């Protein structure tokens, strides 16, 4: 039996198209070669291993499987693409310790 990567993402085709658009932008114009190569690897992986399906609401979707490092790279590139559009409204990291203590 084949081993499936543990991270699964099912998304509507429009969101998949946006994800690939962001990755293509990084692959073509990111100033850092490391990020260009990261985006190229992810594009190749998603195109080779993504599977189309129709969900219970008859909407076209894409099923992706990835390893944790691929998921982390995807999140990293998405965050980089958003960094110029948003500014943090609070230092959330400062509340990490107290949040954890209050919610244990």
């Amino acid at each position: 039996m084949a081993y499936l990567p543990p991270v699964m993402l099912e998304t509507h085709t429009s969101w998949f198209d946006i994800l690939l658009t962001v990755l293509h932008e990084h692959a073509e114009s990111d100033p850092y070669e490391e990020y260009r190569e990261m985006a190229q690897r992810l594009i190749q992986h998603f195109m080779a291993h993504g599977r189309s399906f129709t969900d219970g609401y008859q909407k076209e979707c894409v099923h992706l499987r990835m390893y944790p490092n691929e998921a982390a790279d995807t999140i990293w590139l998405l965050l980089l693409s958003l960094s110029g559009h948003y500014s943090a409204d609070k230092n959330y990291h400062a509340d990490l310790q107290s949040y954890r203590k209050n919610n244990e």
Side-chain angles (χ1 to χ4, degrees):
M1 183 173 190
Y3 173 75
L4 293 174
V7 180
M8 181 179 70
L9 174 66
E10 290 183 350
T11 184
H12 289 273
T13 54
S14 59
W15 289 87
F16 177 77
D17 294 345
I18 290 171
L19 171 61
L20 270 286
T21 298
V22 169
L23 293 177
H24 273 282
E25 180 71 26
H26 279 288
E28 293 173 2
S29 62
D30 196 291
Y32 298 101
E33 183 177 354
E34 174 186 3
Y35 299 149
R36 288 193 307 271
E37 291 174 358
M38 183 186 299
Q40 291 166 358
R41 281 191 307 273
L42 290 169
I43 291 166
Q44 290 171 352
H45 176 79
F46 293 155
M47 293 303 294
H49 301 289
R51 298 290 177 255
S52 296
F53 71 98
T54 303
D55 71 6
Y57 300 101
Q58 302 306 308
K59 299 288 185 180
E60 291 296 314
C61 296
V62 176
H63 176 91
L64 298 172
R65 285 275 188 174
M66 60 192 105
Y67 292 101
N69 64 318
E70 293 166 331
D73 289 349
T74 301
I75 293 168
W76 178 252
L77 291 175
L78 289 171
L79 287 171
L80 281 175
S81 69
L82 291 172
S83 66
H85 301 283
Y86 292 92
S87 296
D89 60 352
K90 179 181 172 183
N91 290 331
Y92 292 97
H93 64 278
D95 296 332
L96 287 174
Q97 294 293 342
S98 62
Y99 183 87
R100 187 173 25 206
K101 286 180 185 177
N102 292 334
N103 290 294
E104 288 182 345

